[in-house]
Amino acid sequence: IDIALINQARANLYGGDVTYTELFHALPFDNIVYIAEVSGSDLLKQASYGNFWRVSEEPIVANGTYTIAVIDYVLFHQNSSRQYNYFPSAFANGKQPIALVTEENPILNYRDITKAYLLEVGTVNSSDYSNSNTHCNKDSLGNEVDFDDAQLRAISIINNAFATVFA
């Protein structure tokens, strides 16, 4: 996975300990997370509008192809003509995104993934999610970046969570 995208949360999560009530208030919908292969041009356009967490240190370029984790609301968004208009490349040439669901978790939503992440890391450092952080900086998408040890640990936790789902 190169990048994970969501839309705007309903409420902010501030630094420190986060309760499940606060998490539910910020992420109230049971959006299922999908894995999709998309074009760099679709990814760059949508990353400029939404919130994302960069997983790859490699630059994102318009003519590239990337694997993303994205919530269903964003992935399946359609215009008035019922065409997929946020990530049309995810459905091109017969491609089908893969839902992150298991028999044990028929709905594995982004709130539950965030909960698992928070349980692993303990507390939220709000600066980890600011535009100055290389994980979230829209201006650095076209550049190769270096992650620090905390960012690499976060990526490891996320990758382990996805590996558990696909095991």
Side-chain angles (χ1 to χ4, degrees):
I1 295 174
D2 299 299
I3 199 166
L5 292 105
I6 63 167
N7 58 340
Q8 183 68 36
R10 293 290 172 148
N12 291 329
L13 293 175
Y14 299 100
D17 294 332
V18 176
T19 66
Y20 191 76
T21 300
E22 292 168 325
L23 184 59
F24 193 90
H25 186 66
L27 308 172
F29 303 109
D30 287 332
N31 293 101
I32 294 174
V33 176
Y34 279 79
I35 304 300
E37 186 178 274
V38 300
S39 70
S41 59
D42 283 354
L43 178 54
L44 289 167
K45 180 180 175 187
Q46 292 312 312
S48 70
Y49 295 117
N51 296 312
F52 64 88
W53 182 266
R54 189 171 175 174
V55 181
S56 172
E57 294 176 307
E58 298 299 316
I60 306 296
V61 294
N63 64 348
T65 301
Y66 301 93
T67 302
I68 64 170
V70 60
I71 61 170
D72 55 1
Y73 177 80
V74 174
L75 179 65
F76 293 106
H77 190 275
Q78 297 177 347
N79 62 19
S80 60
S81 299
R82 307 294 290 161
Q83 298 167 323
Y84 297 113
N85 62 336
Y86 284 4
F87 290 104
S89 59
F91 306 94
N93 303 317
K95 290 192 286 188
Q96 289 296 315
I98 301 168
L100 286 180
V101 296
T102 63
E103 286 185 28
E104 299 81 31
N105 292 307
I107 297 176
L108 186 60
N109 64 49
Y110 68 143
R111 181 180 55 250
D112 294 334
I113 293 170
T114 304
K115 176 186 169 191
Y117 173 76
L118 291 173
L119 288 172
E120 178 74 24
V121 299
T123 61
V124 172
N125 181 351
S126 58
S127 66
D128 288 343
Y129 307 95
S130 72
N131 194 40
S132 63
N133 186 300
T134 54
H135 278 300
C136 310
N137 187 322
K138 294 171 175 62
D139 297 329
S140 72
L141 281 172
N143 302 321
E144 185 173 321
V145 297
D146 293 320
F147 294 146
D148 63 27
D149 289 342
Q151 292 167 324
L152 292 171
R153 181 172 178 259
I155 290 167
S156 175
I157 292 167
I158 292 165
N159 285 335
N160 289 338
F162 286 132
T164 300
V165 170
F166 288 113

